[in-house]
Amino acid sequence: MKKILCLSVCFLSVQAFALDHNCIPHIEQLEREFKNCTVEYGDNASTADMNNASYNAAECAVNIAHKLFDTYYASTADDTKKQFDALVRQIYSYSHNLVQESDYAREHHIGTIHNQMAEELIKELTKSYLVELKSECEDATDYKPPRRR
C-alpha cells in the first residue's frame, strides 16, 4: 500500500511539474482557438442571423474558458464553471436590459440585437482568464526556488 501511495505522489508531482513548465504552449494554442471565436454573417444577414452569429462566437469563448478551467482550475473546475456560466447568463440579461428595456426602446421596438454587446463582454471575460493564466505560467517558468544552505 505504501508503494502505491508513494508512486501516486511521485506521478502527481511529475505531472504538476510538467504542467507548470509546459503551460505556455497550451495557453498559446487556446489563444489561437480564441481568435477563431468571431462573428461571421453575410452582407444580407437577417436579425436572427446576426443574433445567432453572436451567440456562436460567445459560445466559442465559453468553451475556451471551460477548457482553461478543466486544466488550470482542476481542483475547483466544477464550481468555477458554474460561477462563470452564471456570470455569462447575467451578461446576457444585462445587455438585453440595457438595449431593450428603456422606455424609448420599448415604445419604438428597437434594440433586438443585444447579443453583440454580450458577445463582446463574454469574450473580454475569457480573454482576461487567458491573460492571467499566461502571466502565471510565465511566472512559474521563471521561478527559481531559493537555495537551501
Side-chain angles (χ1 to χ4, degrees), residues 45-52 54-55 92 95-102 104-106 108-118:
S46 67
T47 301
D49 292 337
M50 290 184 248
N51 276 327
N52 287 334
S54 291
Y55 275 129
Y92 276 117
S95 63
H96 170 82
N97 185 271
L98 182 67
V99 176
Q100 289 186 283
E101 297 300 323
S102 73
Y104 180 81
R106 292 183 76 148
H108 297 284
H109 307 288
I110 63 170
T112 58
I113 305 179
H114 63 279
N115 294 331
Q116 184 175 7
M117 179 189 304

Side-chain angles (χ1 to χ4, degrees), residues 77-94:
D78 290 339
D79 189 47
T80 303
K81 286 179 189 178
K82 286 178 188 173
Q83 290 179 26
F84 186 84
D85 292 347
L87 183 54
V88 167
R89 285 190 299 278
Q90 284 303 114
I91 289 171
Y92 276 117
S93 178
Y94 158 76

Side-chain angles (χ1 to χ4, degrees), residues 4-91:
I4 292 173
L5 183 60
C6 182
L7 288 173
S8 296
V9 170
C10 288
F11 175 73
L12 292 174
S13 297
V14 168
Q15 210 176 20
F17 178 80
L19 183 62
D20 284 346
H21 294 285
N22 292 321
C23 59
I24 292 177
H26 181 246
I27 290 176
E28 288 174 344
Q29 174 195 348
L30 292 174
E31 287 175 327
R32 286 188 298 275
E33 288 179 35
F34 180 71
K35 287 181 183 177
N36 292 326
C37 298
T38 57
V39 175
E40 295 180 21
Y41 47 82
D43 293 337
N44 296 321
S46 67
T47 301
D49 292 337
M50 290 184 248
N51 276 327
N52 287 334
S54 291
Y55 275 129
N56 291 340
E59 186 63 25
C60 175
V62 168
N63 290 336
I64 299 291
H66 282 201
K67 287 179 185 180
L68 285 170
F69 302 149
D70 287 337
T71 305
Y72 301 104
Y73 289 76
S75 62
T76 61
D78 290 339
D79 189 47
T80 303
K81 286 179 189 178
K82 286 178 188 173
Q83 290 179 26
F84 186 84
D85 292 347
L87 183 54
V88 167
R89 285 190 299 278
Q90 284 303 114
I91 289 171

Side-chain angles (χ1 to χ4, degrees), residues 129-145:
Y129 275 98
L130 284 165
V131 168
E132 178 61 27
L133 285 168
K134 189 171 187 180
S135 175
E136 288 178 14
C137 285
E138 289 168 347
D139 288 349
T141 302
D142 293 340
Y143 177 73
K144 294 182 181 23

